[in-house]
Amino acid sequence: MNSDKPTAIWLKVLAVVWMVWVFLDYWFKHPLYAASFGNTFIAIAIIHGMILTIAGVIWVKLARGQVSWFSLIVLFFALLWGGTLVNLVMYSKVEYTGLSVLFYMLRTLCFIGLLTGLTVSAYNVGSYLVESILIPSEKLASSVYIALGLCVFMILIFIVLLLNIFTWYVILLTIAWPLLVFYRRTWRSLKALSQPIPFSNKVCGVGIVCLLFIVLINALTFGHTLSPYPVGFDAQNYYINLPKLITEAAALQTGYQPYNWSLLQAAGYGLTGRVEMLLILSWYGLVLVQWATYEIGCRVMKLRPEIALMAVTLFSYMPSVTTQASQELKVDLGLTFMLLAMVISGFSLIQNLLSKPTRQSMVALAVIVGVLGGIALGIKLTAIIAILAVIAILWYHGLGRMAFVGVFFICLALVFFVQLDTRAGLRVYHDSVAWLQIVSLFVGIGCLFFAVKEHVRKGLKLIYLSAVIVMSSSLVFTPWMLKNYSEIQNPSFIQLLNGTAHGPVFNMKSIDRNLKKKDR
């Protein structure tokens, strides 16, 4: 235990240095970020009186442990509507009527109501799968339940699109059936919205301030989504355009990389017919990530609630995060949530492995990790890094550092063998990759051999769990590979994973090849 203390200290120092370096890199290379800070705090100054008034009420309630989710939702709408009205009165030159303002308020209520229904429905499905089927004796984090429920919805929407029955009433049935089937869970969840939050009586003044600022940034970023079209270039041309095309065609789109989160957005657009819903479902990932980050802080890292809230606040106010939640509106926040839920379930698997596990609990947790990883892989292929990392951490906790090094080099060899580095155009720079992949493979196997030889039983158990994770990930990702195979003649492995692009594909390798042709 004492030998691990210096390592922990050095890791914390390295983490702080890394965060400072990344912040300075963003700050100096992206001058507009500094301006965005200024604009944010101008908005805060405009509505500071209203914030302080509501903060006083919340402070009293928190002191008595009476803050509920409903109270935070009311605070959210107060900030959203109050800020909008202040901007209309003081700055906007657009003509408006009382009826248009009322319609705006009703529209936002409907959008938040739909998100609440989606969250409760997903939670119902996830909690039923875990507590009634997979691991009846164990209770996981609520973010894992929500993530599993969203996974089920994405798979069902994929099937609905494949069958060409993508209509609003089929979408509604696909997403809303858990609210009716598990009506007792639905009622408990809705009752919980009006009951005091369990941690609210443990939060000090710092936690209260952080909670207020979290709700504030959510209101500010949500306001940006109430637009007839996205602002970000990538969102306009791909991330918001794709689900719109899916809805209009009522079918899966030919080509493109896997787009699980876009399926969820297409369902929202097909149900409401409003472009704002597409944007809001991108923003929705921010709220999910905030909750998953809080649960990681409290459940995994054993932090005090106010420290976990501070971490969530710092994350939420990062310029790259606020940009993703208000302007770019891609799928990255949804991807991050799936990966965080996978990390939480991964640590539950590790805790189960280190205690006295049953075969059912170990396999079930490994399946959950794999399913979440596979769905994340179907959002963006970069999730493969997180899946391999979770497997490496599992081996580290099971057999120590030598096993971790072994799995690391085997994963590196795997990346080279299946040419995943060609995705970013990096293979052209890897002049020695042919022998490096062989060396990495043998180094990894050698390290694993030395790690396993004295603990064969535990090593076989880890191999089994790793195989379950990989097979579960592959199973939920396979539909995308089958789709790509049906669209491409003689596809390569990368094309099976990534599909095809509609426009010309440029990378460093193709540019280098074209330049050499030109020189001839």
Side-chain angles (χ1 to χ4, degrees):
M1 202 72 175
N2 292 332
S3 61
D4 290 337
K5 193 171 182 180
T7 304
I9 294 173
W10 278 110
L11 286 174
K12 290 176 181 177
V13 171
L14 179 62
V16 171
V17 171
W18 176 258
M19 286 189 290
V20 171
W21 184 85
V22 170
F23 173 79
L24 292 176
D25 182 64
Y26 271 100
W27 188 266
F28 289 112
K29 290 186 179 179
H30 303 274
L32 290 178
Y33 282 172
S36 71
F37 268 97
N39 292 337
T40 299
F41 284 103
I42 287 172
I44 293 173
I46 292 173
I47 53 177
H48 72 280
M50 179 179 54
I51 295 172
L52 291 176
T53 302
I54 299 173
V57 176
I58 298 297
W59 187 290
V60 173
K61 283 182 170 289
L62 273 173
R64 299 175 182 174
Q66 295 179 353
V67 167
S68 63
W69 292 113
F70 182 75
S71 302
L72 295 180
I73 293 173
V74 170
L75 173 62
F76 170 85
F77 279 115
L79 295 173
L80 175 67
W81 294 340
T84 302
L85 291 174
V86 168
N87 283 321
L88 277 176
V89 172
M90 297 182 62
Y91 294 103
S92 178
K93 296 180 181 180
V94 178
E95 294 184 1
Y96 62 92
T97 62
L99 188 62
S100 62
V101 172
L102 180 61
F103 179 69
Y104 159 79
M105 296 171 73
L106 290 175
R107 197 166 76 246
T108 55
L109 277 172
C110 290
F111 289 145
I112 296 300
L114 286 172
L115 290 186
T116 303
L118 174 64
T119 306
V120 173
S121 186
Y123 179 85
N124 287 352
V125 175
S127 60
Y128 174 77
L129 288 175
V130 173
E131 296 175 2
S132 301
I133 299 177
L134 295 175
I135 328 173
S137 60
E138 191 157 347
K139 187 174 177 63
L140 300 181
S142 57
S143 52
V144 175
Y145 294 157
I146 295 170
L148 283 173
L150 292 177
C151 291
V152 171
F153 292 154
M154 291 175 197
I155 293 170
L156 290 177
I157 294 167
F158 185 95
I159 295 171
V160 166
L161 287 165
L162 201 62
L163 298 175
N164 293 318
I165 53 173
F166 194 72
T167 57
W168 71 267
Y169 47 87
V170 174
I171 297 170
L172 182 61
L173 182 63
T174 301
I175 294 176
W177 65 266
L179 298 175
L180 301 175
V181 174
F182 308 113
Y183 63 92
R184 287 192 178 90
R185 295 174 188 266
T186 302
W187 178 244
R188 285 199 300 268
S189 299
L190 294 177
K191 281 178 63 178
L193 292 178
S194 60
Q195 294 171 352
I197 302 173
F199 66 79
S200 60
N201 59 347
K202 303 176 184 178
V203 177
C204 66
V206 174
I208 295 169
V209 173
C210 290
L211 196 59
L212 291 171
F213 273 92
I214 290 169
V215 178
L216 173 62
I217 195 64
N218 287 352
L220 290 172
T221 50
F222 181 84
H224 281 271
T225 65
L226 302 175
S227 170
Y229 57 88
V231 177
F233 177 82
D234 288 342
Q236 289 179 7
N237 291 275
Y238 185 84
Y239 291 103
I240 300 301
N241 188 41
L242 176 59
K244 188 171 182 290
L245 292 174
I246 294 171
T247 305
E248 291 172 349
L252 295 169
Q253 293 297 290
T254 303
Y256 297 101
Q257 62 183 359
Y259 42 82
N260 275 333
W261 197 263
S262 296
L263 297 179
L264 203 61
Q265 291 177 286
Y269 183 60
L271 192 60
T272 62
R274 306 284 305 190
V275 175
E276 299 102 303
M277 199 64 208
L278 289 172
L279 309 181
I280 289 169
L281 283 167
S282 289
W283 169 87
Y284 177 55
L286 173 64
V287 181
L288 296 176
V289 168
Q290 288 169 341
W291 180 242
T293 303
Y294 176 81
E295 288 202 313
I296 285 180
C298 292
R299 292 178 66 100
V300 178
M301 303 179 70
K302 307 300 181 183
L303 300 176
R304 297 196 306 272
E306 61 269 17
I307 302 299
L309 287 172
M310 186 184 298
V312 174
T313 305
L314 292 173
F315 170 81
S316 302
Y317 276 84
M318 286 178 61
S320 54
V321 175
T322 57
T323 301
Q324 287 286 340
S326 61
Q327 296 181 18
E328 291 296 335
L329 295 168
K330 301 180 184 179
V331 297
D332 297 79
L333 290 172
L335 170 66
T336 305
F337 170 66
M338 286 296 171
L339 295 180
L340 289 177
M342 183 183 69
V343 168
I344 295 173
S345 54
F347 274 98
S348 296
L349 174 60
I350 291 169
Q351 290 172 359
N352 188 277
L353 183 66
L354 297 178
S355 59
K356 296 180 179 179
T358 63
R359 182 183 179 87
Q360 180 184 358
S361 63
M362 281 196 310
V363 173
L365 286 167
V367 168
I368 291 171
V369 172
V371 168
L372 293 174
I375 291 294
L377 196 63
I379 297 175
K380 268 193 176 181
L381 290 179
T382 48
I384 186 66
I385 300 170
I387 297 172
L388 298 178
V390 168
I391 293 174
I393 293 171
L394 179 66
W395 278 83
Y396 171 76
H397 283 276
L399 288 176
R401 296 175 183 174
M402 184 64 73
F404 173 82
V405 173
V407 174
F408 169 80
F409 276 104
I410 289 175
C411 292
L412 187 63
L414 177 66
V415 168
F416 291 146
F417 273 118
V418 300
Q419 300 184 7
L420 291 178
D421 53 330
T422 59
R423 171 75 180 126
L426 297 175
R427 179 54 68 99
V428 68
Y429 297 110
H430 294 170
D431 297 326
S432 54
V433 71
W435 64 267
L436 186 59
Q437 60 191 12
I438 303 297
V439 172
S440 298
L441 181 62
F442 279 101
V443 169
I445 292 174
C447 290
L448 273 188
F449 174 77
F450 282 106
V452 171
K453 68 176 184 177
E454 295 180 0
H455 306 279
V456 177
R457 189 180 182 88
K458 186 176 285 187
L460 291 175
K461 185 185 295 184
L462 290 169
I463 291 173
Y464 176 69
L465 291 176
S466 301
V468 170
I469 292 173
V470 172
M471 290 175 62
S472 302
S473 298
S474 303
L475 183 64
V476 295
F477 186 76
T478 298
W480 289 110
M481 298 182 70
L482 294 175
K483 170 186 173 293
N484 293 334
Y485 181 79
S486 67
E487 296 172 356
I488 308 169
Q489 293 182 349
N490 300 319
S492 65
F493 181 73
I494 294 298
Q495 287 176 320
L496 276 178
L497 291 177
N498 201 46
T500 56
H502 285 284
V505 178
F506 291 102
N507 54 41
M508 295 305 298
K509 190 172 183 178
S510 62
I511 292 172
D512 180 68
R513 184 173 60 249
N514 293 336
L515 285 173
K516 287 178 180 178
K517 286 182 180 179
K518 183 180 178 182
D519 292 339
R520 293 175 188 171

